[in-house]
Amino acid sequence: MKQETLLLFCIILLYGSFSVFGQGSSCENLDPFCAGDEELVFPNSNTTNSNIVNGQPGPDYGCLLSQPYPAWFYLQVEETGNLRFDISQFQNEDGGGSQYDVDFIVWGPFDRTEDYCTDDSLSELNIVDCSYEPDTVEQMFIPNAEEGQVYVVLITNYEELPGFISLRQTNSDQANSGSTDCGILDEVLGPDRFLCGQNETTLDATTDGVERYEWFRFDNTTNNFEIIANEEDPTLTITNSGRYKVIVYENITGQADEDEIEVTFYSEPVANTPEDLYLCDPNQTTIDLSAASAEILNGNSAEENYRVNFYESIQELEAENPISNPTAFPVEESREIVAQVEGTESGCLSNEVIFNVELTFVPENFLPAESVICVDVDGTVLDQQGIGEDLGTDYTYEWIAGGNTISTEAVLNFTETPNFNSVSLIVTDIRSGCTIEFNTTLLVYSRPETVEVEIEGSDFTGGYIISAEATPGPGNETTYEYSADNGNWQGSTVFRNLDPGNHTISAREINGCGITTSEEFYLVGYPRFFTPNSDGYNDTWNIENTTEIQIKKLYVFDRYGKLIKELTPGGAGWDGTYNGRTLPADDYWFRVEFEKDGTNDHFGANFTLKR
């Protein structure tokens, strides 16, 4: 405690006719102060700037036996916690020069709406901290300060000399520390607003302990905020984009504080449903979804820029998980894609639209590398033949030969032998514009003109060997298959083991362009069996003469070698009896003596009598 007498406080200070009054010289003229990590420095009250020599009467000043040149302040708590400050007083603003004794007292806590300058408020009951020590640095401590509370602080200048007061919070980095706020408003207007599809919005600056409000709008012409006449309420309803400001005046101190906000009204973006996208090339594994962006964005205003976000499903849109690589989106099958337009400045979103990604691959074997045209031996086309396939109304076709378009039908029909060897086909998908080109070589084939037969051997000399020769018809060189008597087809032209009797050999073109059959020919031989049952079929057994073989003698024996019958060539044949007696069913033998090509020969074998 300073060792001074009360007489010292009775000294009369005389001033000239001009005085400079320090701010906060009375409680009704409170100034705010606050301190965070940075030091707050401000001028003290002294003989050069104030004529308030001592504290106003009424308050309980606690430990301050005197209050020379008082400076009144208030602080407002921003964050709940303990507040600890160093208060010091120096001759110079930078902390240099002489150090002066500094004293203080703190009252509180008060609500913002309270009148905290009354004698009842500044009473002994509300004193929080006080120091009257002869120190140039004092520690001010406010424990358990709560957010929104107000504390009144009086700092005195015991030595009455001009100087500067320094205020620094010393516990801001410690646990359970609080913080102070110099503002009346706490950004009550909030962040800038981007309003989508709205016509108006209301700004609300309602603040406790505020006496009046003033609203302003920024004028781009004057480059200043201009007051909005007759708007003194805590709220302001606006319909135009712009920069707005509110100034509030505290009802206790009259202190002014302000907040600003930028409000922009945006039209809601529009998303148009685009045409489906198509993937044409079967070797292409990705598609550029942004190709649909222009169509989706069509019709939006020019008030801001837009982007299109693509999603794999409605669920992905709701989860705000857009496709990350829309320019190279992998596609394995036809599927739906969801799109939404977003304003790049406002973040406004459109309705969602859905379109398809379609895979429109024409079958790879749609047109073979080679196409067959069948003609007859005179060169005419067999019936009406065509190449190609009708894929439906979604496709167009262009057939090209020799550089000229010869047809736009799905199937290229031929009524006569074409005079070109190859043809191209361009197939276009009308929906996507995708095109694919095929090329095919035309192969003209025909059935054989003739089939000639050459006969070698006989039934009596190891069997016949029949050789067929097909004479090619017009068109390209081809391959034929052969058949004897409408039997199985074979590639070989040689036939063996044909039974005696009438035969034909047929040859067919392997691509189905027709069959030609030889003239009928007859093979001489012996019957392998006969059935003497008087039914008119195979009732007798005999060997006939032919132009190739002349029968001289013909004998029939039983299985023991007994001569049963000598037959006359060309006669009635054997009826299965011996001396008028019917012989049993069994194997019998014959011997034939014949002349062939001027040479005599003989042959023997068995045959069967069946009953």
Side-chain angles (χ1 to χ4, degrees), residues 14 33 177 420 499 580:
L14 301 177
F33 70 41
S177 65
F420 43 85
D499 293 334

Side-chain angles (χ1 to χ4, degrees), residues 60 87 92 117 193 231 250 278 283 303 356 358 382 423 443 445 488 496 507 583 585:
D60 189 322
I87 303 175
N92 300 323
C117 282
R193 299 185 190 180
E231 292 290 349
E250 190 176 21
Y278 294 87
N283 297 315
E303 61 187 358
N356 295 314
E358 299 284 353
L382 296 178
V423 65
L443 299 176
Y445 297 128
N488 294 332
R496 299 177 183 272
L583 295 180

Side-chain angles (χ1 to χ4, degrees), residues 245-358:
K245 178 173 74 173
V246 64
I247 299 180
V248 300
Y249 296 90
E250 190 176 21
N251 57 5
I252 302 298
T253 66
Q255 178 196 350
D257 201 357
E258 64 183 55
D259 193 16
E260 295 181 18
I261 188 173
E262 180 83 29
V263 178
T264 310
F265 292 93
Y266 289 93
S267 300
E268 189 171 276
V270 175
N272 300 290
T273 302
E275 295 291 332
D276 293 337
L277 295 180
Y278 294 87
L279 197 61
C280 311
D281 185 354
N283 297 315
Q284 185 179 344
T285 59
T286 63
I287 193 168
D288 183 2
L289 298 178
S290 65
S293 294
E295 192 174 357
I296 295 172
L297 290 171
N298 185 38
N300 281 286
S301 67
E303 61 187 358
E304 67 170 322
N305 295 320
Y306 302 93
R307 63 169 167 263
V308 180
N309 297 321
F310 298 93
Y311 301 85
E312 293 194 44
S313 65
I314 291 292
Q315 290 74 21
E316 291 296 295
L317 180 144
E318 293 172 348
E320 299 181 0
N321 185 26
I323 293 172
S324 60
N325 57 339
T327 58
F329 180 65
V331 179
E332 295 180 355
E333 59 184 1
S334 297
R335 59 167 303 151
E336 285 186 346
I337 295 294
V338 180
Q340 187 177 53
V341 176
E342 178 183 6
T344 56
E345 300 169 18
S346 66
C348 295
L349 299 173
S350 73
N351 57 299
E352 69 271 7
V353 294
I354 298 176
F355 64 97
N356 295 314
V357 173
E358 299 284 353

Side-chain angles (χ1 to χ4, degrees), residues 237 563 602:
T237 298
L563 177 64
H602 65 276

Side-chain angles (χ1 to χ4, degrees), residues 79 346 512 523 544 601:
E79 294 181 358
S346 66
L523 296 181
E544 302 292 335
D601 202 348

Side-chain angles (χ1 to χ4, degrees), residues 62-198:
C63 71
L64 299 184
L65 300 180
S66 65
Q67 309 90 40
Y69 291 97
W72 292 82
F73 303 92
Y74 77 91
L75 62 84
Q76 180 172 306
V77 180
E78 182 176 30
E79 294 181 358
T80 298
N82 298 324
L83 298 172
R84 190 180 301 276
F85 299 91
D86 276 354
I87 303 175
S88 57
Q89 193 167 207
F90 300 92
Q91 181 179 6
N92 300 323
E93 185 176 7
D94 62 0
S98 300
Q99 297 182 353
Y100 303 147
D101 180 13
V102 64
D103 301 308
F104 73 91
I105 186 172
V106 182
W107 295 273
F110 305 108
D111 292 333
R112 282 184 49 84
T113 56
E114 290 186 58
D115 187 352
Y116 31 77
C117 282
T118 66
D119 293 345
D120 289 339
S121 295
L122 304 178
S123 64
E124 179 183 5
L125 182 64
N126 291 328
I127 294 175
V128 177
D129 197 8
C130 183
S131 176
Y132 196 63
E133 297 296 327
D135 297 328
T136 58
V137 179
E138 298 280 8
Q139 283 77 42
M140 182 176 72
F141 180 58
I142 303 175
N144 303 317
E146 295 186 6
E147 177 185 354
Q149 291 178 338
V150 173
Y151 291 84
V152 176
V153 181
L154 173 64
I155 300 176
T156 62
N157 180 5
Y158 186 81
E159 298 184 29
E160 303 179 0
L161 297 173
F164 294 87
I165 297 172
S166 168
L167 178 71
R168 181 190 292 274
Q169 184 174 350
T170 59
N171 71 328
S172 60
D173 60 347
Q174 298 177 10
N176 301 320
S177 65
S179 63
T180 56
D181 179 13
C182 286
I184 300 172
L185 294 176
D186 189 16
E187 296 184 352
V188 293
L189 298 182
D192 292 342
R193 299 185 190 180
F194 302 95
L195 304 174
C196 307
Q198 299 183 31

